[in-house]
Amino acid sequence: MRVDRLALALAALGALLGQEARASSSGKLIGTVKDPAGEALPGVTVTASSPALIGGARSTRTGADGSFLFPSLDPGLYRVKAELSGFRSIELAKVRVFLDRTTAVFPRLEAGELAEQLTVTAEPPVLDPLQVATGQVFTAEFMDRSSIGADDRLYQSVIGSAAGVGFSELNSDPHVFGSTVGENVYLIDGLDTTDPFTATLGTNFNFDAIQEISFFTAGFEAEYGRATGGVVNLITKSGGNSFSGTFDTRYRTSALSEKGPHFDPSRDKSTFILPAATLGGPVLLDRLWFFTSAEYQEQATTPFLSPTANTLRGEDYLGKLSWQIDPQWRAVFKASSTPFTNTNFNASQFVEPAAAATERQSSVISQGELSATLGSNLLWELQAGVNRRRIFDAPASGDLATPGVFDQATQISSVNAANVQSSTRERAEGQTSLTWFAAGPAAPDGGGWGGGGHEFKAGFSYGRLALDALNNTVGGASYVDDSSQGGPFLFSVTPVLPAKSYTGDLAAAYLQDGWRLLPSLTVKLGLRYDAVGYHNEAGNAVANLSALQPRFGFAWDLLGDAHTLLRGSYGRFMHPSALSLPFYARLSLAPTTRYVSCSDVVAPGVADPAQVAALCRGYATAHGGAVIADPLHRDPAGYAFFDVLSSMPNRVDPRLQPAAADELTLGLQRQLASRSSIELTYVYKKTRHILEDTCSENVPTPTADPGLVHCPYLVMTNPAAARRDYHGLLLRFETRAADRLYLVASYAYSLSRGSVEYTQGSGPDFDVFPVHFVNTYGFLSDDRRHRLKVKGFVKLPLGFSAGFNALYESPFSYSVLQNLDPPLYGTQFLEPRGSRRANSSYTLELELRKAFRLGPLSAELIGTIENVLSSQRPTAVCQFAGGCGGDTSADQVPLGAATDFQQPRRYEVGLRLVF
């Protein structure tokens, strides 16, 4: 079925349902009101109020079973007041409502006059009695005070502190329970901002603009999809009824770094500054709020012996309006932009100034949202947005006509940058959802939501992905020299092609039911359907992928007080791939014609120009071509035809299925004391139908072809040998005791195994049978048997506070590889993947703040110490049996020896103003 026809069918379903599938930007508050004897009290008026809640306080009444529900509240601190004639009213203060979570409170009313109010600083349960998924919520305060240094003030760093989540040395995106860095989804204010080409993180912005992050790592419900890893649901700040703002700046230089055996700050010089500001407040009290933010980043780095400095200058801007149209209707509008320029991004001792390259990027997001509370038990949400990202890499000189030169003997690039790339990546989406809270039989008046109640949610979304891309050699040609053999060596000509367009259509629909089977037992059932169709530059269908994904979960409040919870889930999760799939199957291929130097390759040492010319003509004729003149006159004798590198376009297996993960979780969570909890969770996940290409002869059954005799083209398919398996046991402790300490600690024991890493489906892992199929299954790059994380902050006397971040990881795995000789290519595993272990790693980061007043401003001086213990453990090792490194044995690094290290202790300073 084509996706366009499917989209029409799903659109009809969406119209029937009235709404669509979007990420939540709110939390829920539930509870039960009882009298001193423990009997339920119906008809109690319950009011929730908070500075975070636009439109003023919300009120509801308890049902016959004493239960009440606020189905959609903005995250923040609330005061919850319960009132009933004949009883003293009670008000609970500091009740925290979290994004994507449910907070439960259990107020008790005492007999007395209504005017005799009792105000209590609540000690509400810290556990969500309805949550079946595994994950964590990060508040703005926690993120600000526990993120150590500017490099940690990124939301991918925040989610990296979640239990069981790891990072590889090659990418800043997280691995979530054995999935690759390209299998997460990044939702910002409900809009999917995942890069449509790489399927990785798509945008970043001012850290102080983040209100809260909900990060699901496993077992998420049917409303969330497109991920076999984790789901990041991030919401930005909205302003308030009073003006508030921040100014935060961080500064460091290489002079603030200590020297170590593998790092010398006098050789690798750098400076960094990051000023950022936010401002929010009312346009109309309780009706129209605004929030804005701006940030500037400048970082200059001069690598050792580099003749040029790499300078990155970036900005980001955000503007947001929240409009409470009336008590039922709300609209939100937001726009953001993140332009940056990375000058001389290839700066190195091996790049001459003439060969420097510059990258320019920009990401512009525009979105709008309309939501309505249609009565006490019906919510509707509609959202639409566009995320457009542009990337342009080109010679810093602006010269797009002169070819670049690379000397394979010295590894030096000169004359000009060799490549020009550009891409425009666009994701446009519309989505809608309808949520209906159906009261159980114990609440026939609809006021409560106790035993037997349902939360039905239905949704639909449609998105359009587009990629305009070009990748050309500058001037349509390039040189390779070999100064050890005299100079000019190889001249390659590749036609310059215009940008081509590749598209994708995404459609999804889901139904889910949160059934409160008993007041203490919630069962969640869901079914999600995702479909995606990709088209190449000719508009031809390349692949149509779809999957039904059942989800099941339960949450059992064992004691009925939200203090001890048993939860579990099982589900299937599909990944829709990305625009790299139609780009892989592109028809516009530019064959490369190769010519060799007449003077230095065909006739080395021959002095007579006529003899050189004769030998060169003969060489070219023997290879089926002619002699051409050298455009840069580097070899006056010219270049002789050698061969043409071309291939048939790659193809996609018509039986291709989307990658999918089956996942099982089981967890026990217990509240220990005031705002403290501990959780033990088991996770098992197996991922199959992984996309990877292979030689055409291997479809459908692998066929031996050690000489590449029968491999005219590659096919994207689902190799049976491509799989991943993850087992994890997670222990997590969290406390927010006494308003002075906020600490999150976790320990993870895990096994992460598989036969393919993040390749976007086009790695050489399964190209040629059997050499690329041997020993591929084993421990993946994210496999660390033990991970221990501790992160948080403590408020100290005299206006001081301290943030801390500690990490220990057991030894990482590495493989034993060898490079394959022509006509083969790529590498071969000599032992099972990840068969060897390197070393463990650990780090400790601290940040000390001193607060003081500057008139209406609260100011903080900030000092940061990164890598307090100055650990300089290896972070990568050589994986090649023959060693890694230079051309001579003296330059070689042997198998298992370190190739990169932790940077030693370094310092950073900052200033923060808040009003």
Side-chain angles (χ1 to χ4, degrees):
M1 178 186 296
R2 285 182 55 87
V3 170
D4 50 3
R5 293 199 296 268
L6 173 64
L8 291 175
L10 292 177
L13 173 62
L16 178 63
L17 296 173
Q19 343 306 322
E20 156 278 354
R22 70 173 294 267
S24 172
S25 58
S26 63
K28 290 192 283 287
L29 176 65
I30 66 171
T32 302
V33 183
K34 297 182 179 181
D35 64 18
E39 297 296 324
L41 286 176
V44 178
T45 299
V46 182
T47 303
S49 59
S50 171
L53 186 61
I54 190 172
R58 306 280 193 271
S59 293
T60 188
R61 290 170 52 247
T62 60
D65 60 354
S67 68
F68 65 88
L69 163 70
F70 290 96
S72 179
L73 293 177
D74 296 307
L77 285 174
Y78 280 78
R79 301 181 74 89
V80 180
K81 187 176 183 179
E83 300 172 286
L84 180 64
S85 178
F87 291 85
R88 296 173 61 190
S89 62
I90 186 172
E91 185 173 86
L92 306 179
K94 297 185 178 181
V95 176
R96 171 70 72 173
V97 174
F98 292 98
L99 174 64
D100 283 338
R101 301 297 191 269
T102 301
T103 298
V105 293
F106 304 93
R108 293 202 175 211
L109 297 187
E110 299 178 1
E113 296 296 327
L114 183 63
E116 297 177 9
Q117 177 175 309
L118 177 64
T119 300
V120 179
T121 299
E123 190 178 307
V126 297
L127 311 185
D128 179 350
L130 308 183
Q131 184 65 45
V132 302
T134 300
Q136 194 166 336
V137 176
F138 303 96
T139 65
E141 182 184 28
F142 176 81
M143 288 185 286
D144 170 48
R145 294 189 173 276
S146 66
S147 297
I148 312 300
D151 291 341
D152 209 26
R153 291 174 65 81
L154 302 169
Y155 68 82
Q156 59 266 44
S157 297
V158 173
I159 62 179
S161 63
V165 176
F167 290 92
S168 71
E169 293 301 319
L170 302 178
N171 200 291
S172 61
D173 291 68
H175 293 267
V176 179
F177 297 165
S179 291
T180 72
V181 297
E183 295 177 30
N184 308 308
V185 66
Y186 299 90
L187 307 169
I188 298 180
D189 288 321
L191 186 71
D192 190 343
T193 62
T194 310
D195 189 294
F197 181 64
T198 64
T200 56
L201 182 140
T203 190
N204 231 315
F205 50 86
N206 190 330
F207 197 67
D208 283 324
I210 302 174
Q211 174 66 29
E212 204 153 291
I213 299 176
S214 169
F215 184 34
F216 291 119
T217 51
F220 39 90
E221 297 172 39
E223 65 180 294
Y224 296 102
R226 304 177 187 169
T228 51
V231 173
V232 179
N233 186 19
L234 179 156
I235 60 171
T236 57
K237 295 178 180 177
S238 300
N241 274 335
S242 58
F243 291 98
S244 61
T246 63
F247 173 79
D248 190 290
T249 185
R250 308 297 172 102
Y251 175 78
R252 68 171 180 263
T253 174
S254 53
L256 296 177
S257 296
E258 295 186 5
K259 184 177 181 180
H262 312 291
F263 177 79
D264 186 346
S266 66
R267 300 196 327 176
D268 296 284
K269 296 181 178 180
S270 65
T271 59
F272 174 89
I273 189 168
L274 180 68
T278 68
L279 177 65
V283 178
L284 297 172
L285 292 175
D286 276 330
R287 294 293 302 276
L288 184 63
W289 292 353
F290 77 93
F291 180 82
T292 60
S293 71
E295 181 179 80
Y296 175 77
Q297 175 182 338
E298 183 171 319
Q299 179 170 342
T301 304
T302 305
F304 181 53
L305 299 180
S306 173
T308 59
N310 166 220
T311 303
L312 187 151
R313 293 183 177 90
E315 305 161 33
D316 73 59
Y317 307 97
L318 181 147
K320 182 177 180 181
L321 284 174
S322 301
W323 179 24
Q324 190 71 36
I325 303 170
D326 61 28
Q328 284 75 44
W329 291 85
R330 181 189 298 186
V332 179
F333 307 95
K334 193 190 81 174
S336 64
S337 176
T338 56
F340 85 82
T341 300
N342 195 353
T343 305
N344 301 334
F345 69 83
N346 60 340
S348 162
Q349 61 177 307
F350 301 107
V351 178
E352 294 185 357
T358 293
E359 179 176 272
R360 292 179 174 83
Q361 284 196 33
S362 66
S363 179
V364 178
I365 300 175
S366 304
Q367 64 187 101
E369 174 186 335
L370 182 65
S371 59
T373 303
L374 306 176
S376 62
N377 61 350
L378 195 62
L379 303 177
W380 174 70
E381 294 173 313
L382 172 68
Q383 188 181 61
V386 178
N387 180 9
R388 178 176 291 129
R389 185 181 183 191
R390 291 189 174 94
I391 304 174
F392 181 66
D393 295 354
S397 63
D399 181 359
L400 300 181
T402 304
V405 177
F406 175 74
D407 190 327
Q408 64 181 7
T410 64
Q411 303 291 298
I412 292 177
S413 298
S414 60
V415 180
N416 200 10
N419 184 251
V420 57
Q421 298 182 43
S422 75
S423 66
T424 299
R425 309 170 187 189
E426 184 173 285
R427 180 187 291 270
E429 292 196 68
Q431 48 191 24
T432 183
S433 65
L434 182 68
T435 306
W436 175 39
F437 296 89
D445 60 353
W449 192 62
H454 291 264
E455 179 186 348
F456 295 107
K457 190 167 187 177
F460 165 73
S461 64
Y462 176 77
R464 178 76 169 177
L465 309 180
L467 169 71
D468 291 337
L470 65 80
N471 186 348
N472 291 317
T473 55
V474 174
S478 63
Y479 288 88
V480 175
D481 284 1
D482 190 342
S483 56
S484 65
Q485 302 297 320
F489 174 67
L490 184 70
F491 178 66
S492 300
V493 177
T494 306
V496 174
L497 298 178
K500 300 292 183 180
S501 298
Y502 310 85
T503 60
D505 296 282
L506 295 160
Y510 69 81
L511 293 169
Q512 65 185 36
D513 174 22
W515 180 20
R516 203 169 182 189
L517 184 62
L518 300 170
S520 60
L521 178 62
T522 300
V523 175
K524 296 195 174 182
L525 302 171
L527 184 64
R528 182 181 178 91
Y529 183 72
D530 280 283
V532 56
Y534 291 111
H535 300 82
N536 63 15
E537 70 271 41
N540 301 326
V542 170
N544 285 285
L545 309 174
S546 62
L548 273 173
Q549 303 151 76
R551 312 275 173 88
F552 167 79
F554 72 90
W556 183 12
D557 183 358
L558 297 177
L559 303 179
D561 59 359
H563 278 57
T564 306
L565 303 176
L566 179 66
R567 58 169 58 100
S569 68
Y570 171 79
R572 173 161 292 183
F573 305 86
M574 164 194 161
H575 192 271
S577 189
L579 288 171
S580 54
L581 184 56
F583 183 77
Y584 168 86
R586 62 192 180 277
L587 303 174
S588 351
L589 297 175
T592 297
T593 305
R594 299 194 298 178
Y595 301 83
V596 294
S597 165
C598 292
S599 299
D600 290 342
V601 176
V602 177
V606 178
D608 183 3
Q611 187 178 358
V612 171
L615 290 170
C616 202
R617 285 193 299 270
Y619 182 95
T621 301
H623 286 82
V627 176
I628 64 169
D630 182 353
L632 294 185
H633 309 291
R634 304 180 76 255
D635 185 350
Y639 282 78
F641 175 82
F642 175 63
D643 65 5
V644 177
L645 298 177
S646 63
S647 64
M648 295 178 62
N650 299 329
R651 301 182 186 179
V652 176
D653 189 341
R655 297 160 296 185
L656 187 72
Q657 299 182 58
D662 291 323
E663 187 176 70
L664 173 70
T665 71
L666 186 64
L668 180 66
Q669 193 173 13
R670 170 69 184 171
Q671 180 169 335
L672 298 178
S674 174
R675 290 176 287 179
S676 300
S677 66
I678 191 167
E679 178 180 5
L680 181 65
T681 303
Y682 170 73
V683 178
Y684 169 66
K685 179 164 62 178
K686 67 174 185 179
T687 306
R688 300 295 186 264
H689 303 142
I690 296 172
L691 277 61
E692 190 56 65
D693 63 353
T694 187
C695 284
S696 54
E697 67 210 33
N698 295 326
V699 180
T701 304
T703 302
D705 183 15
L708 287 179
V709 176
H710 306 293
C711 187
Y713 58 89
L714 296 171
V715 178
M716 186 70 71
T717 187
N718 304 117
R723 66 190 196 276
R724 288 193 297 273
D725 301 284
Y726 178 88
H727 295 264
L729 188 64
L730 316 173
L731 182 66
R732 188 173 74 90
F733 171 76
E734 180 173 347
T735 182
R736 289 175 282 119
D739 290 329
R740 304 189 69 85
L741 173 67
Y742 197 149
L743 180 147
V744 176
S746 67
Y747 164 75
Y749 175 85
S750 63
L751 297 171
S752 180
R753 291 177 286 199
S755 53
V756 62
E757 301 268 6
Y758 173 70
T759 65
Q760 292 195 264
S762 56
D765 301 61
F766 296 99
D767 282 3
V768 181
F769 184 82
V771 293
H772 288 152
F773 286 67
V774 176
N775 291 326
T776 57
Y777 186 83
F779 293 106
L780 297 171
S781 62
D782 69 311
D783 182 76
R784 299 271 193 161
R785 195 71 67 248
H786 308 279
R787 274 195 179 95
L788 178 63
K789 303 177 182 180
V790 180
K791 188 167 188 172
F793 65 89
V794 58
K795 295 179 181 178
L796 303 170
L798 303 177
F800 285 95
S801 66
F804 48 86
N805 184 12
L807 170 68
Y808 167 80
E809 296 179 309
S810 60
F812 61 89
S813 65
Y814 70 95
S815 303
V816 181
L817 309 171
Q818 73 172 4
N819 285 314
L820 294 169
D821 295 324
L824 294 173
Y825 58 89
T827 59
Q828 180 181 19
F829 287 88
L830 299 182
E831 297 177 4
R833 182 190 296 267
S835 60
R836 302 197 183 187
R837 294 281 160 173
N839 55 273
S840 61
S841 59
Y842 52 86
T843 186
L844 173 64
E845 300 172 335
L846 296 176
E847 183 171 279
L848 183 66
R849 299 187 181 193
K850 174 63 173 80
F852 54 94
R853 298 295 302 182
L854 290 177
L857 301 178
S858 172
E860 289 183 315
L861 293 176
I862 302 170
T864 298
I865 309 176
E866 299 186 46
N867 195 359
V868 174
L869 304 176
S870 207
S871 167
Q872 295 170 66
R873 309 278 284 172
T875 57
V877 299
C878 175
Q879 300 190 67
F880 287 90
C884 306
D887 297 325
T888 66
S889 58
D891 298 328
Q892 289 285 327
V893 175
L895 173 70
T899 58
D900 202 2
F901 300 86
Q902 291 175 291
Q903 187 176 332
R905 187 183 298 113
R906 53 200 181 275
Y907 305 89
E908 183 179 285
V909 295
L911 172 66
R912 183 173 179 82
L913 304 176
V914 179
F915 73 93

